[in-house]
Structures are given as C-alpha cells and as structure tokens.
Amino acid sequence: MSGFDENVKDQKNILRQRYRALRDSISPDQKKALDERICAITVSLASFRFADTILMYAPTGSEID
C-alpha cells in the first residue's frame, strides 16, 4: 500500500475512534431522543418514501438504533 493510502487509513481510524467516543458519551435518554429524531427525519425524506429498495442494518454499540 502506498504512503497516501496508509495515511488515509490512519486518518479514517482516528475519526472512527473520535466519533465512537462522542457517541459513547451521550446519555441513554439523550441517545434515544436523538435516534428517534434521526429516524423521523429519515422516513420523512422523499428519497426514502419513494425508494424501491431500503437497506437496513443492525446497530452495534452506540450506533444509531
């Protein structure tokens, strides 16, 4: 792998760690409210409502539920 690729990979890992730590610092009540708000905004989008296919995932840890 080139030096550029390694640098990008390192930067992505740093960002992942930073945002995981931020998510982990949110209280359970606040996380629930934020998750509900994110879901409400998502289902209100025309691109969601008129999509032929919707992909989903199972959250782990502090990811959006």
Side-chain angles (χ1 to χ4, degrees):
M1 214 178 258
S2 73
F4 176 78
D5 292 338
E6 284 295 323
N7 189 35
V8 169
K9 185 177 178 181
D10 291 342
Q11 289 176 1
K12 286 172 66 174
N13 283 332
I14 290 167
L15 287 173
R16 285 186 186 106
Q17 290 172 1
R18 181 180 302 159
Y19 286 103
R20 185 177 304 120
L22 285 171
R23 287 193 318 265
D24 289 345
S25 71
I26 298 170
S27 73
D29 289 338
Q30 185 180 17
K31 181 184 180 320
K32 183 175 189 272
L34 290 169
D35 289 351
E36 288 173 356
R37 184 171 176 209
I38 291 167
C39 289
I41 291 169
T42 301
V43 298
S44 73
L45 297 171
S47 57
F48 180 88
R49 291 192 325 263
F50 299 109
D52 293 325
T53 304
I54 303 293
L55 300 177
M56 301 178 81
Y57 73 101
T60 61
S62 59
E63 293 176 342
I64 298 167
D65 192 6

